[in-house]
Amino acid sequence: MTINTLAKGGWHREQMTCFQKMEKVIVAMQDPDMGMKMRNQRLLITVIPHAMTGHDIITWLIQKYSICEEEALHLGGMLLKYGYIYPLKEPRSIVLHPDETPYRFQTPYFWTSTRWPASELDYAIYLAKKNIRKQGELMEYEKERYSVLHKRINHTWDFVVMQAREQLRASKQRRKADRIVLECQEQAYWLINRPPPGVGNVLDMGLERPNNFSLRVTLNSDYYKREIETCRRALGRNRVKSSICLEGFVKYSEQYQNHDPIMQGCLPSNPWISDDTAHWTMNAEMVPTPTRLRVECWSFSFMELLKDVMGRKEFMTYLEKEFSGENLCFWQACEDIRHGESSKIAEKVEEVYKNFLAPGAARWVNIDSKTMDKTLEGIKRPHRFVMDDAQMHIYFLMKKDSYPRYLKSDLYKNMLAKAIIPQETKKSVFPFMRRQRHSSPSPAQAAAQATEEDGRGKGAGPAGTNSDV
Amino acid sequence: MWPVWSQTNQTSNRLCSCFLKMACQGLQKGETLATLKKECESLKKKLEEDRGKLNDVELHQVAEKVEVVGALSIKTRRVLKGHTNKVLCMDWCKDKRRLVSSSQDGKVIVWDGFTLNKEHGMSMPTTWVMACAYAPSGCAVACGGLDNKCSVIPLSLDSNENCAAKKKTVAMHTNYISGCTFTNSDMQLLSCSGDGTSALWDVESGQLLQSFHGHTSDILSLDLAPSETGNTFVTGGCDKKANVWDMRSGQNIQSFECHESDINCVKYYPSGDAFASASDDATCRFFDLRADREVAVFQKDSIVFGASTVDFSLSGRLLFAGYNDYTINVWDVLKGTRISMMFGHENRVSRVRLSPDGTALCSASWDNTLRVSRSFPHE
């Protein structure tokens, strides 16, 4: 492995994984048996060995990973972007062309992961070499960077120039082909690690993440004791057989398939495709007649019924007919305590006690005596979760008893019968005509208006109903 | 007391020995740090064994009888331009068309995704706003990042009013905020942080209601369970663990350590019985909470870059995952195979989220844009 795991800076963690994987691909590509066929490439008057065409790269990737051309082009492109392969003829065009354009593998010496992070000193030496070789004719941005470096590491400048001269002298003694190859490789390395302005820095990894040696938490005795406690609890956990659980996922996906716009489309049309918001209008919180899919959904689970404002309203109507409406009211009041402001907990608990739990309360709920005692005791010191047990009891009561009966009731059946099945909007005959995309009132606006009406003492309706809008 | 934790390598060696000495306090007679560690490890081993006992079938086997999902036709319908640097996070509003996004440029923007209208633009006093969330009522947003705080901003419609001025600090951590979400109302906020902890806050007073400890490194993501008793959430982080927490007691009730690298994102399956994770190890995994184990790994040899984000389609059949190689892969959750691949972004995909009614997918990217795409089965 060529990755320098003890590099300075905490960067090696994130890169290690994807660089390791890319290197695996590169090594496979160069495998003598299963790897790519390489050929000689003529560069001006020199012949460079071990080159391959873009087309070869893509074909190999398609075969090796059983992927399509688009993905192969993308993957090959990434190998180029990270400097594992470089273009031979146009070094600055770091793009994979699916044609006869020649490319070459970068030598492991110049892999980004080998010498991470690229050092300023090395860059200075490289620019110095180039400066000498080209007699000052560097590119604009290179000139700028050269002078910045000259200022910044001025104290080692003699060393920089000396190294540059040494390396140039050594390279003159190489064969021409080798010299050209080395220059290409080095240039390719710096194009990735010090990209020209305007070219995105592919090595931008975002914020630094901690390396393995600096944990956020001290592994002291408290930590291990807590872990042991967690493990003990986890060991005592009830687990369900896989066959049952996994069957559950199959059933869930089947049940909701018709409701999933990606799996089954949506009626009358997906607003994002047709620019028509009818689908949203038909499924607004309160509509005179709901859609069939929506009413069907209420039968999937008790949670689905309660989640839907309209479903909840219907269920309340049903419960009131059965003289058990107080159950749902109680549940809602408990939800309000659990999710509401901390400052209002005490007064809300008081209200709930008065209305639902006190002996002779107007909307007394039927809880078993054990839970009732526990709750009444807890009320003496009201907190956010004080109603949890009672709420749970009533929730399961409704779920096991009232909910199944509601689904069998005429109220539900009639709702289902008269529910709308929207007509699918035929695709526009003139596809070039785009509908106007209408804006909608912001929820913040609706709420602000409701508060305004409250303030004026006009007895506002629920937020979202604006007769003026 | 405890020395201030510094990230530089020079001080860490000194601090290590200092902590080791302090760590030996609080031990019972006969206990050493080594014995505790050993006990912990053997318990974990037993846990893995127990988990394997009820494993009588694999997910793809159960899914053999299920119809194959055909090829999908996916097209980008909106490109949201406005951020001047990497978009790090986004969240949909319950109205199915609005969304909020936050960026390295320090801005938080509220858009009507449908009309491309920018409705609110707020500047945070920090760059790298890594987390943002829309309030259930649609009347506020929360955001946080390198400032180590999570703030709630009520959305004012008065164009003269500067929204950011009404910003209220709710969560305070000792390191960056990596994720935040409102619980079932506007009144409570869950946050997770680079300091390795997550916390539940009362929005009105800013009071800490509960804190959650157990991760040993940065937490990078959290998600609230859609269960009927609504009391749990899951977190994932740099310690490669995904932990499930009880909001009420603060306890870590389930833990999964299967990934080989940082977990960048966790997301619940719509029924709440499972969750998916995305990791730097280039895989996404599916964890069954009732069976208490990992039941699927979504990976391919040709996928070499880390996955940064995941979300399920409405029915839970499809898993959309965004990667650091700028692509989005669509996986068949039941069969474990990849159905489709989306190109288009010009840099890492940092977040993918399905709209609340499942009609569209929004992807946020380091290429400074957000894209809203629609997908349906090929005819």
Side-chain angles (χ1 to χ4, degrees):
Chain A
M1 201 66 276
T2 53
I3 288 183
N4 184 359
T5 52
L6 295 173
K8 313 173 232 350
W11 268 126
H12 52 273
R13 286 178 87 251
E14 197 189 316
Q15 284 117 3
M16 261 169 85
T17 338
C18 68
F19 280 160
Q20 263 172 10
K21 290 189 178 188
M22 280 192 278
E23 281 155 22
K24 245 177 150 165
V25 177
I26 291 292
V27 165
M29 280 173 109
Q30 292 177 81
D31 182 87
D33 301 315
M34 303 299 286
M36 292 186 48
K37 298 281 167 288
M38 298 202 260
R39 44 189 107 172
N40 291 340
Q41 177 64 45
R42 189 166 285 276
L43 197 63
L44 294 178
I45 51 168
T46 326
V47 172
I48 313 285
H50 307 307
M52 59 254 179
T53 66
H55 180 259
D56 287 342
I57 294 172
I58 288 168
T59 311
W60 188 89
L61 286 171
I62 290 176
Q63 243 170 25
K64 166 86 175 175
Y65 295 110
S66 314
I67 54 182
C68 66
E69 185 172 342
E70 201 180 8
E71 187 175 0
L73 192 59
H74 181 81
L75 179 56
M78 292 311 273
L79 292 172
L80 234 91
K81 276 204 167 79
Y82 279 84
Y84 288 100
I85 296 175
Y86 62 91
L88 211 47
K89 285 204 173 132
E90 268 172 78
R92 288 175 196 281
S93 162
I94 308 181
V95 176
L96 182 62
H97 296 286
D99 53 21
E100 300 304 301
T101 315
Y103 297 88
R104 233 172 155 265
F105 288 110
Q106 178 64 285
T107 174
Y109 179 81
F110 275 126
W111 282 356
T112 302
S113 55
T114 309
R115 35 203 335 101
W116 181 268
S119 89
E120 276 199 327
L121 194 63
D122 285 340
Y123 192 42
I125 294 170
Y126 168 70
L127 288 177
K129 275 198 296 188
K130 211 170 175 189
N131 199 32
I132 294 170
R133 238 187 29 239
K134 297 209 164 182
Q135 287 150 359
E137 286 308 304
L138 290 175
M139 305 205 74
E140 262 322 301
Y141 76 91
E142 284 174 329
K143 281 189 186 148
E144 275 171 40
R145 290 181 187 176
Y146 192 51
S147 70
V148 166
L149 280 168
H150 183 84
K151 284 197 196 91
R152 194 149 63 218
I153 56 174
N154 196 277
H155 51 284
T156 56
W157 207 251
D158 289 340
F159 175 74
V160 168
V161 176
M162 183 188 76
Q163 268 296 300
R165 290 213 178 101
E166 254 310 299
Q167 289 182 19
L168 280 173
R169 202 180 52 76
S171 80
K172 281 208 180 84
Q173 295 176 344
R174 292 198 183 93
R175 280 186 338 166
K176 185 162 183 202
D178 291 342
R179 188 168 70 235
I180 291 180
V181 161
L182 193 56
E183 273 168 20
C184 280
Q185 289 170 341
E186 197 180 23
Q187 178 179 46
Y189 174 79
W190 288 111
L191 280 171
I192 305 290
N193 283 276
R194 289 285 186 275
V199 175
N201 178 13
V202 82
L203 298 175
D204 179 0
M205 300 287 177
L207 281 185
E208 190 172 322
R209 291 214 188 140
N211 59 39
N212 288 322
F213 307 105
S214 69
L215 296 171
R216 299 293 188 196
V217 164
T218 46
L219 300 184
N220 57 12
S221 63
D222 276 341
Y223 166 75
Y224 283 115
K225 283 190 175 162
R226 209 170 39 219
E227 282 289 288
I228 288 168
E229 186 50 46
T230 304
C231 279
R232 292 229 169 91
R233 255 183 291 123
L235 279 165
R237 195 188 167 79
N238 275 336
R239 283 182 204 94
V240 182
K241 241 187 343 179
S242 281
S243 44
I244 299 176
C245 302
L246 302 177
E247 197 56 51
F249 297 131
V250 172
K251 286 212 177 77
Y252 187 92
S253 297
E254 243 166 45
Q255 193 177 45
Y256 282 86
Q257 182 161 323
N258 288 350
H259 298 248
D260 188 341
I262 297 180
M263 299 293 290
Q264 210 84 5
C266 73
L267 301 171
S269 65
N270 185 326
W272 298 97
I273 300 175
S274 62
D275 284 341
D276 176 20
T277 57
H279 176 74
W280 288 332
T281 319
M282 287 184 186
N283 285 291
E285 255 191 12
M286 298 304 286
V287 283
T289 322
T291 62
R292 187 167 179 111
L293 277 180
R294 182 176 180 178
V295 181
E296 257 174 30
C297 211
W298 299 346
S299 69
F300 290 173
S301 73
F302 189 37
M303 203 57 216
E304 286 287 358
L305 178 66
L306 290 184
K307 255 187 351 191
D308 186 343
V309 170
M310 213 177 155
R312 207 188 284 197
K313 193 162 152 273
E314 283 294 300
F315 189 54
M316 180 66 95
T317 310
Y318 174 74
L319 288 178
E320 273 167 1
K321 283 209 175 116
E322 302 226 312
F323 305 107
S324 54
E326 67 277 359
N327 286 341
L328 188 56
C329 289
F330 175 70
W331 182 83
Q332 277 174 179
C334 291
E335 280 289 280
D336 197 31
I337 293 174
R338 231 162 34 110
H339 299 296
E341 299 102 310
S342 289
S343 57
K344 300 216 171 105
I345 290 177
E347 77 180 65
K348 284 180 182 173
V349 168
E350 184 62 38
E351 272 298 303
V352 167
Y353 172 73
K354 263 193 354 218
N355 292 330
F356 299 99
L357 299 174
R363 316 202 71 186
W364 191 79
V365 286
N366 194 358
I367 316 176
D368 68 282
S369 53
K370 191 167 157 222
T371 313
M372 179 67 95
D373 288 341
K374 189 173 173 205
T375 309
L376 292 178
E377 188 58 41
I379 287 178
K380 295 181 183 161
R381 266 179 306 261
H383 60 90
R384 185 172 294 275
F385 303 108
V386 73
M387 292 295 175
D388 268 15
D389 288 343
Q391 183 184 13
M392 193 94 82
H393 180 95
I394 294 294
Y395 178 83
F396 283 112
L397 189 68
M398 290 191 288
K399 179 177 172 178
K400 296 215 171 89
D401 183 36
S402 318
Y403 173 61
R405 283 189 290 113
Y406 165 68
L407 292 179
K408 297 197 187 95
S409 72
D410 286 337
L411 189 64
Y412 177 72
K413 289 200 176 127
N414 290 340
M415 183 59 99
L416 193 61
K418 70 173 184 171
I420 307 174
I421 301 178
Q423 279 276 35
E424 183 183 358
T425 310
K426 291 284 177 260
K427 293 215 169 77
S428 172
V429 179
F430 302 100
F432 301 106
M433 269 172 64
R434 218 183 62 177
R435 298 179 79 113
Q436 210 202 355
R437 294 170 185 166
H438 295 286
S439 59
S440 70
S442 160
Q445 187 169 45
Q449 234 147 343
T451 333
E452 226 180 81
E453 285 164 13
D454 267 339
R456 278 191 244 128
K458 270 192 187 166
T465 60
N466 294 296
S467 45
D468 315 285
V469 174
Chain B
M1 265 307 284
W2 297 94
V4 171
W5 190 253
S6 148
Q7 254 192 299
T8 59
N9 285 337
Q10 309 121 293
T11 53
S12 68
N13 277 331
R14 255 187 288 131
L15 287 168
C16 267
S17 54
C18 189
F19 278 127
L20 222 52
K21 239 198 299 180
M22 292 190 191
C24 292
Q25 300 160 359
L27 289 165
Q28 309 286 32
K29 206 175 173 162
E31 273 180 357
T32 64
L33 210 57
T35 58
L36 283 178
K37 191 171 175 191
K38 208 163 163 208
E39 186 182 349
C40 196
E41 273 160 21
S42 79
L43 281 174
K44 283 192 177 161
K45 204 160 158 230
K46 177 119 197 351
L47 185 58
E48 278 319 300
E49 279 168 22
D50 279 5
R51 276 172 163 169
K53 283 182 186 153
L54 290 175
N55 180 7
D56 54 344
V57 73
E58 295 300 317
L59 181 54
H60 63 88
Q61 291 173 296
V62 169
E64 261 159 28
K65 59 179 190 271
V66 181
E67 233 180 81
V68 171
V69 176
L72 294 173
S73 161
I74 305 179
K75 286 211 171 68
T76 298
R77 291 290 293 170
R78 305 283 192 277
V79 182
L80 283 68
K81 296 190 181 159
H83 281 295
T84 56
N85 214 325
K86 309 178 176 73
V87 186
L88 305 171
C89 188
M90 63 76 48
D91 190 24
W92 287 93
C93 174
K94 284 217 159 74
D95 77 349
K96 308 157 192 171
R97 50 189 285 171
R98 284 176 171 76
L99 51 100
V100 62
S101 63
S102 65
S103 159
Q104 182 188 353
D105 65 7
K107 298 240 175 12
V108 173
I109 302 179
V110 174
W111 318 69
D112 177 349
F114 194 68
T115 57
L116 289 182
N117 230 7
K118 292 187 193 58
E119 296 190 343
H120 305 271
M122 297 155 276
S123 287
M124 293 298 118
T126 177
T127 56
W128 289 91
V129 188
M130 291 174 267
C132 65
Y134 224 119
S137 68
C139 300
V141 292
C143 59
L146 275 191
D147 53 348
N148 300 359
K149 302 192 190 101
C150 200
S151 313
V152 174
I153 308 173
L155 297 175
S156 155
L157 289 138
D158 185 346
S159 52
N160 294 325
E161 204 179 313
N162 177 15
C163 270
K166 283 237 164 117
K167 179 170 69 99
K168 176 194 207 167
T169 301
V170 172
M172 308 235 271
H173 281 270
T174 55
N175 215 309
Y176 63 87
I177 305 290
S178 50
C180 67
T181 181
F182 287 88
T183 62
N184 298 20
S185 77
D186 287 16
M187 300 301 145
Q188 289 174 282
L189 190 70
L190 254 183
S191 63
C192 65
S193 163
D195 67 10
T197 71
S198 38
L200 182 66
W201 310 83
D202 175 64
V203 172
E204 190 192 35
S205 63
Q207 189 194 7
L208 172 68
L209 298 174
Q210 183 66 260
S211 67
F212 308 87
H213 299 262
H215 278 287
T216 53
S217 193
D218 304 26
I219 301 179
L220 299 176
S221 170
L222 61 66
D223 190 34
L224 191 64
S227 78
E228 55 189 354
T229 45
N231 261 334
T232 60
F233 69 99
V234 64
T235 54
C238 292
D239 59 0
K240 310 176 198 168
K241 290 202 198 133
N243 291 333
V244 180
W245 308 87
D246 179 310
M247 276 205 283
R248 189 176 156 174
S249 63
Q251 278 178 352
N252 175 359
I253 50 185
Q254 268 173 298
S255 186
F256 301 89
E257 196 169 351
C258 304
H259 274 291
E260 296 162 12
S261 193
D262 299 4
I263 296 179
N264 295 313
C265 183
V266 286
K267 194 76 178 56
Y268 271 96
Y269 181 79
S271 73
D273 290 329
F275 68 92
S277 59
S279 162
D280 275 346
D281 66 8
T283 71
C284 295
R285 293 173 199 239
F286 191 47
F287 298 90
D288 184 331
L289 292 168
R290 293 189 302 162
D292 193 27
R293 61 178 193 95
E294 171 199 280
V295 295
V297 182
F298 305 106
Q299 65 187 342
K300 222 174 174 299
D301 281 344
S302 58
I303 300 176
V304 301
F305 284 84
S308 58
T309 174
V310 277
D311 198 9
F312 288 96
S313 74
L314 195 134
S315 62
R317 181 68 193 271
L318 303 175
L319 184 73
F320 290 82
Y323 291 75
N324 291 343
D325 66 357
Y326 322 169
T327 64
I328 296 172
N329 286 300
V330 188
W331 299 89
D332 179 334
V333 172
L334 299 179
K335 294 194 184 274
T337 53
R338 185 183 59 185
I339 298 173
S340 209
M341 210 172 162
M342 289 166 66
F343 300 92
H345 276 297
E346 294 166 13
N347 207 322
R348 291 195 193 186
V349 178
S350 53
R351 184 95 157 173
V352 292
R353 277 293 175 272
L354 273 291
S355 66
D357 61 356
T359 48
L361 173 81
C362 181
S363 52
S365 165
W366 281 18
D367 66 7
N368 305 1
T369 70
L370 296 110
R371 288 171 171 241
V372 180
S373 310
R374 96 304 184 260
S375 156
F376 56 71
H378 251 307
E379 247 91 85

